[in-house]
Amino acid sequence: MPTLLIVHHTPSPSMQAMLEAVLAGARDEAIEGVEVVVRPALAATAVDVLAADGYLLGTPANIGYMSGALKHFFDQAYYPCLEATIGRPYALYVHGGSDTTGAVRSVETIATGLTWKRLREPVTVIGALDAKDREACWELGAATAASLMP
């Protein structure tokens, strides 16, 4: 069964709301035959990455960069997964107080180094979430999981 690994750093209510919407989409009953595995960024390992067929990453934008927790995840998984995960799909969601550009760029730079393929444009939210933002997160989760359906 294909596996979607969701790796997230969720330190705020906004990030929690985004994660919940992503999970609702990824676990929608219309998506069949895909296992969804969820790991906090500080707990996710190279073993998790190697066992998955696609990835959905969530991070706050912290001072123009991804969270330290997501960076730690990449630091420990990068070389063990470098050759084994070439071409796997990934997607990204980011929340920021004033800007998300640097956080998106930093994740995309590492994903490019891993030779992962971006599935769709990142979902980025600045400030408070609204219904449209939650819907975009739901769609991101659903589309990412559906892309792995057998």
Side-chain angles (χ1 to χ4, degrees):
M1 178 180 299
T3 300
L4 171 62
L5 175 63
I6 299 176
V7 177
H8 65 95
H9 183 60
T10 307
S12 68
S14 294
M15 285 301 301
Q16 184 64 38
M18 292 177 83
L19 174 62
E20 288 171 7
V22 161
L23 288 172
R27 293 174 171 160
D28 187 87
E29 65 185 32
I31 298 167
E32 298 177 354
V34 177
E35 179 182 6
V36 177
V37 174
V38 184
R39 296 281 186 268
L42 291 174
T45 67
V47 172
D48 295 318
V49 176
L50 292 168
D53 301 287
Y55 315 101
L56 185 45
L57 310 168
T59 184
N62 290 341
I63 314 170
Y65 200 70
M66 74 179 91
S67 70
L70 193 63
K71 177 66 167 71
H72 171 77
F73 159 74
F74 278 128
D75 284 346
Q76 60 85 30
Y78 190 89
Y79 286 109
C81 300
L82 183 59
E83 292 184 18
T85 61
I86 291 172
R88 292 188 187 170
Y90 82 96
L92 172 66
Y93 64 96
V94 180
H95 179 266
S98 61
D99 185 26
T100 58
T101 307
V104 169
R105 182 177 51 249
S106 63
V107 171
E108 289 188 337
T109 298
I110 294 172
T112 297
L114 287 163
T115 322
W116 291 357
K117 304 293 183 205
R118 186 175 74 187
L119 190 59
R120 58 190 309 177
E121 287 293 318
V123 171
T124 60
V125 178
I126 295 173
L129 272 71
D130 60 21
K132 180 181 165 189
D133 298 324
R134 285 181 176 82
E135 179 68 19
C137 289
W138 187 95
E139 289 176 7
L140 185 70
T144 306
S147 76
L148 300 175
M149 285 176 50

